[in-house]
Amino acid sequence: MAGIVPSILSADLTRLGEQVREAVEAGADRIQVDVMDGHFVPNLTFGPDVVAAVRRAAPGIPVEAHLMVEQPERFVEAFCRAGADYVLLQVESTPSLYRAVHLVREHGARAGVVLNPATPVEMVRELLPVVCMVLVMTVEPGFGGQSFIPESLDKIRRLRRITELDIEVDGGIDVSTAPMAVAAGATLLVAGTAVFDHPEGVAAGIRALREAVR
Ligand code: DX5
């Protein structure tokens, strides 16, 4: 069964703790914090303190820090100290990705690598033995509420052919795109809008995604 990973980018930040607790109680498998620096992506979001706050609000489930930042190795220790269980590194964000992955592991978190839509699957091949998951971006990162890139499905299938690791997808994941992504080989579904902007609330959003991929 695919895991549901609400991302707080679309949460109501005036009551973030409450929204995270709602997601946990509704059976979310992980929570993702979308970290953006305004350089690697044209948006600016959260720092380690928000990961620590999410950690406090969701003590029972893993927290992912998705670092959409340039030279992420500068921030790995801070996010690990803040309580990130997984640190996800964009392949495009540093020339020293191998070193950045080992930095994550040295600080006690689990490392994942992230592929932007235009980055070929081949770019993660050498890292597969040292990471625990691969995140395939199904939108150009930076903002929630974008449309799923349909060409991602073939990319997920090609990645699945070369690894048994968790494949996470992120961007435009909803009740129609989630089943297709899972059929292609995805095992973790990041969703912001489909969860936190669901008209009937967070629990209904998570339930709908679960039903869609059952
Ligand atoms: C990168 C962000 C978004 C967010 C999910 O842009 O990381 O992908 O997590 O966005 P939606 O609202 O498409 O689920």
Side-chain angles (χ1 to χ4, degrees), residues 7 9-10 32 34 36 66 68 137 139 141-146 170-172 190-193:
S7 90
L9 190 65
S10 304
Q32 187 183 99
D34 314 86
M36 301 180 189
H66 175 189
M68 289 166 271
M137 291 305 295
V139 296
F143 300 92
Q146 301 179 78
D170 178 355
V190 175
T193 304

Side-chain angles (χ1 to χ4, degrees), residues 133-151:
M133 61 182 282
V134 180
L135 169 52
V136 175
M137 291 305 295
T138 46
V139 296
E140 198 71 64
F143 300 92
Q146 301 179 78
S147 299
F148 180 87
I149 297 172
E151 290 77 9

